[in-house]
Amino acid sequence: MNGKPVLEVENLSVCYATRRGLATAVDRVSFTIYENEVVGLVGESGCGKSTMANAIMRLLGDGAYVTGGSIRVMGQDVYRLKGDALRQFRWTQMAMVFQGAMNVLNPVKTVESQIVDTLLAHRPGMSKQQARARAEELFRLVRIDPKRLQSFPHELSGGMRQRVVIAIAVALEPKFIIMDEPTTALDVIVQKSILEQIMELRDRLGFSILFISHDFNLVQEISNRVGVMYAGRLVEMSKSASDLALTPRHPYTQGLIRAIPKLTSDDEDIQGIPGSPPSASNRPSGCAFHPRCPYAKPICRTVEPGMTTVAGNLIECHLSEDELRSMTYAER
Ligand code: SF4
């Protein structure tokens, strides 16, 4: 991918303090997102996707800690920012769209005042009138009639509320936006129109996106590259979303894709992955996927696999390059 790096995550580990000690939610993860790129991140619940997003935004809750590695956004190590510098950096350089707009928007304030407050907090030179004009412009950008600016969140549909949250995220023109399950609570048609809108805004405003979802089809539709997380590790990073969909190589990715019902196929043989993902406080030794992996070898139980590159895709597995190459989705 051409262009400058916008997000650089290097060897990142995040742990939670539990009564039994530290539980590792994100385990030595590294990846880079470049200018104008959309990178999707998929994996089952609890695999560490949202913890990583919160770590990048410096929004980890009490009891969660970055225990190793670094995160740079636009070259800035975000963990070196303090106080006002961090508050300014957040929203002007990096922003986040969360799942469920109702949890993010203040129910007792009009959406206009919420946008205006965000603008005034980060643009000290801006007048209230200019902020209102910018709020109107943002509403047009996300295709909502500016007359709805005086609405309270509960007076808007779910799709409109999510558009308001997107408008707030792009208000200060950050170069990097994390979208964590941004369309999960919405019906399929609204979901599709919001995805189209996100791409339109990306083309117009030129930001990069880390798009997090448990829905592989959605991620594939919107992303240039896709990462797959399992038990806190990034186990596969594809060179393109279509490559991952057509030839998933990692045994876990294959299982994830086999579990997706296909609208275009008569194939009724949809198979879930047997077993369930391990908890952060009880990761299996060796490759954490070994208890569920149909290809597990004795070494998988004791030794962590390293990264192998197969046809430009990064895969963390003990299978040889030849074995991984020969595993095509058509085999199923
Ligand atoms: Fe399966 Fe072993 Fe590869 Fe893990 S390292 S995915 S257990 S084959």
Side-chain angles (χ1 to χ4, degrees), residues 250-252 287 289-290 293 295-297 300 305 316-319:
H250 192 282
Y252 175 62
C287 169
F289 188 54
H290 83 254
C293 179
Y295 306 97
K297 305 172 176 192
C300 303
E316 191 179 74
C317 184
H318 280 303
L319 296 178

Side-chain angles (χ1 to χ4, degrees), residues 61-258:
D62 286 348
Y65 308 94
V66 169
T67 51
S70 65
I71 300 165
R72 283 192 294 280
V73 174
M74 304 299 292
Q76 169 68 52
D77 183 336
V78 296
Y79 278 81
R80 289 189 179 272
L81 292 166
K82 292 197 172 66
D84 266 357
L86 174 61
R87 276 187 287 279
Q88 280 306 318
F89 196 79
R90 214 187 268 142
W91 304 115
T92 57
Q93 300 296 323
M94 59 178 185
M96 186 157 169
V97 174
F98 298 88
Q99 177 182 357
M102 244 354 218
N103 305 329
V104 180
L105 296 171
N106 186 334
V108 297
K109 289 175 102 175
T110 64
V111 286
E112 183 190 57
S113 60
Q114 298 186 55
I115 298 176
V116 166
D117 287 353
T118 307
L119 288 166
L120 295 179
H122 291 88
R123 294 269 191 266
M126 194 177 242
S127 68
K128 207 161 183 178
Q129 205 176 8
Q130 286 168 326
R132 283 197 174 126
R134 174 75 175 139
E136 281 190 20
E137 196 181 306
L138 286 164
F139 256 43
R140 282 193 203 96
L141 204 60
V142 295
R143 290 194 225 130
I144 307 179
D145 185 337
K147 284 183 196 142
R148 305 303 300 265
L149 275 164
Q150 295 311 320
S151 306
F152 289 90
H154 71 271
E155 293 172 329
L156 301 174
S157 68
M160 275 192 197
R161 285 197 293 265
Q162 205 57 5
R163 285 192 158 96
V164 171
V165 173
I166 292 170
I168 293 174
V170 301
L172 295 147
E173 301 185 5
K175 287 288 164 220
F176 170 60
I177 302 184
I178 299 176
M179 302 202 171
D180 188 3
E181 306 274 5
T183 60
T184 297
L186 307 171
D187 69 52
V188 179
I189 294 168
V190 179
Q191 214 172 52
K192 193 167 167 35
S193 110
I194 289 193
L195 278 195
E196 281 168 9
Q197 175 124 64
I198 289 170
M199 293 317 286
E200 248 178 65
L201 288 172
R202 199 278 309 251
D203 292 345
R204 200 158 156 175
L205 304 174
F207 49 82
S208 306
I209 304 174
L210 176 62
F211 190 92
I212 297 173
S213 178
H214 65 278
D215 185 333
F216 184 81
N217 286 333
L218 266 191
V219 166
Q220 193 204 340
E221 212 169 301
I222 197 169
S223 309
N224 300 110
R225 289 185 292 139
V226 180
V228 180
M229 281 189 82
Y230 185 78
R233 298 282 296 162
L234 187 64
V235 296
E236 180 158 7
M237 177 58 90
S238 70
K239 65 172 187 237
S240 74
S242 57
D243 210 60
L244 194 76
L246 293 172
T247 52
R249 316 261 182 192
H250 192 282
Y252 175 62
T253 315
Q254 292 210 347
L256 264 190
I257 293 179
R258 271 194 200 116

